[in-house]
Amino acid sequence: MSTTKTNPGNYFEDFHVGQIIRHATPRTLTVGDAALYMGLYGPRFAVQSSDAFARTIGYPSAPLDDLLVFHTVFGKTVPDISLNAIANLGYADCRFEKPVYPGTTLSTVSEVIGLKENSNGKTGTVYVRSTGADEKGETVLSYTRWVMVRKKDEASPAPEAVVPALPETVAPEALAAAVPAIDVSRFDTNLSGSPFRWGDYEVGEKIDHVDGMTVEEAEHQIATRLYQNTAKVHFNQHTEGQGRFGRRLIYGGVVISLARALSFNGLNNAFHLAAINAGRHVAPLFAGDTVYAWSEVLDKAELPGRSDIGALRTRLVAVKNRACADFPFKTAEGGYDEGVILDLDVWLAIPR
């Protein structure tokens, strides 16, 4: 007798609004994970790079990179949410609730908050709100994403369409939770790499981050395995070679982390990713492509009760195989310029 004990992943018709999914495999993050993350992307923000620097300004030690935390929480969801996905369509309302330090164990729970079958009848969009918590059960991160998922049976009836209303931005009063009070007088800008603080940036300012980084096949797979992300499109050349692109697709989180690391050159002191307001993977990235990035300051905000830090709302744009001196973004017709691969709207915390 043959039985199936493997996980085939959920298809569109397996989801229902209000469904709660507790994802498997809690993950304890260590200094080893932090070192590997740094080796894969090369971020240089002083607070996450140096225990001594972090302690000097008021942290107990260097916190883990915000995106290492995000990708780990995200990775837990993949076997249940997006194993049968065609594409991850977007993000919204991502909040970093508390700093995370080496030794913390993260786990994830998701709630299905929306469903909508696509017009082709072959796929549907699933909206989920995922929450990452530490070993004490305290929330460290929460975010919404929506993903296009295959149907198992194209003849199955469409569910009632539910599309959740999502905020345009995370409110400024929610941005400082993951930053302890810091002593800005001891924030050494020689060590951080730039003299520019919150007051030195202007709304409308555009920053070409100049540097480029070429992605290799092994690197993106190591990064994706680091987060225990099991999505088939990133690993299995045997199947992906017969698919739409003929090759493995790089996990979109790799693009986000590369763009964030590249943004150091021009936003050196914006040490904390306080929130992701919205985000979209515009086009795929493949091994051998070179990533560049640029940012535009969309807004500035004072944070209630905080005189030590302020917030910059920026658009972070990643582009492949094209330098960003001309700030490629959208065409006159409203589509994206050739080469644009990421459009990310974020809040950054930066000393005042």
Side-chain angles (χ1 to χ4, degrees):
M1 181 175 69
S2 176
T3 60
T4 299
K5 293 185 173 65
T6 56
N7 173 26
N10 289 315
Y11 290 87
F12 179 70
E13 53 265 57
D14 295 320
F15 296 100
H16 62 268
V17 174
Q19 181 178 1
I20 303 295
I21 304 172
R22 290 176 54 84
H23 304 290
T25 318
R27 176 83 157 81
T28 302
L29 293 176
T30 68
V31 291
D33 295 300
L36 181 53
Y37 183 90
M38 189 168 291
L40 289 166
Y41 303 112
R44 293 179 283 159
F45 298 98
V47 172
Q48 289 80 11
S49 298
S50 167
D51 280 335
F53 189 98
R55 290 191 187 108
T56 295
I57 65 170
Y59 281 86
S61 64
L64 294 171
D65 192 286
D66 303 301
L67 286 172
L68 173 57
V69 175
F70 174 83
H71 297 321
T72 301
V73 170
F74 182 102
K76 304 295 96 187
T77 72
V78 171
D80 302 307
I81 304 297
S82 49
L83 198 62
N84 294 306
I86 294 173
N88 190 56
L89 299 176
Y91 312 92
D93 196 25
C94 175
R95 305 166 182 236
F96 294 85
E97 304 281 358
K98 63 180 293 190
V100 178
Y101 300 97
T104 301
T105 298
L106 300 177
S107 58
T108 310
V109 176
S110 296
E111 179 182 2
V112 179
I113 60 173
L115 292 171
K116 186 178 185 296
E117 184 172 286
N118 294 327
S119 58
N120 63 13
K122 299 178 180 180
T123 60
T125 301
V126 181
Y127 298 80
V128 295
R129 182 75 184 170
S130 297
T131 301
D134 62 18
E135 65 278 6
K136 300 175 184 177
E138 296 176 355
T139 297
V140 302
L141 168 72
S142 63
Y143 67 93
T144 297
R145 72 163 168 143
W146 48 105
V147 58
M148 186 188 303
V149 180
R150 295 178 179 87
K151 293 180 68 174
K152 187 174 185 179
D153 178 4
E154 295 179 9
S156 62
E160 179 183 357
V162 176
V163 177
L166 299 171
E168 180 182 348
T169 64
V170 177
E173 54 265 28
L175 297 178
V179 182
I182 66 171
D183 184 347
V184 292
S185 69
R186 304 190 72 188
F187 195 102
D188 188 332
T189 55
N190 289 312
L191 295 179
S192 68
S194 170
F196 302 121
R197 300 187 183 222
W198 182 78
D200 297 309
Y201 292 88
E202 299 293 337
V203 173
E205 182 177 356
K206 293 181 179 180
I207 304 165
D208 175 11
H209 299 302
V210 181
D211 306 305
M213 203 174 298
T214 302
V215 185
E216 302 297 344
E217 199 78 80
E219 291 173 331
H220 82 84
Q221 291 182 87
I222 290 170
T224 308
R225 283 193 289 266
L226 176 65
Y227 318 129
Q228 297 178 315
N229 180 332
T230 57
K232 304 170 186 177
V233 295
H234 307 314
F235 298 109
N236 193 331
Q237 182 58 36
H238 178 243
T239 57
E240 295 311 306
Q242 303 167 56
R244 175 184 172 190
F245 298 112
R247 57 192 305 192
R248 287 165 288 197
L249 183 67
I250 291 177
Y251 164 48
V254 169
V255 179
I256 295 174
S257 284
L258 285 173
R260 168 67 173 154
L262 291 169
S263 76
F264 174 84
N265 193 351
L267 287 165
N268 313 52
N269 292 328
F271 64 91
H272 172 53
L273 179 60
I276 299 173
N277 297 307
R280 180 181 177 189
H281 295 290
V282 176
L285 183 72
F286 301 102
D289 288 336
T290 299
V291 177
Y292 296 88
W294 66 273
S295 293
E296 179 181 5
V297 180
L298 302 176
D299 198 3
K300 296 175 66 174
E302 296 184 357
L303 303 182
R306 300 295 294 263
S307 60
D308 53 344
I309 57 173
L312 298 178
R313 182 183 173 191
T314 67
R315 171 183 289 119
L316 177 59
V317 179
V319 181
K320 66 178 179 181
N321 305 326
R322 176 179 176 179
C324 293
D326 60 343
F327 305 108
F329 186 46
K330 288 191 174 181
T331 66
E333 293 74 29
Y336 285 95
D337 281 332
E338 181 71 23
V340 174
I341 54 177
L342 176 71
D343 179 4
L344 200 66
D345 180 336
V346 302
W347 281 112
L348 304 172
I350 184 169
R352 297 184 65 169

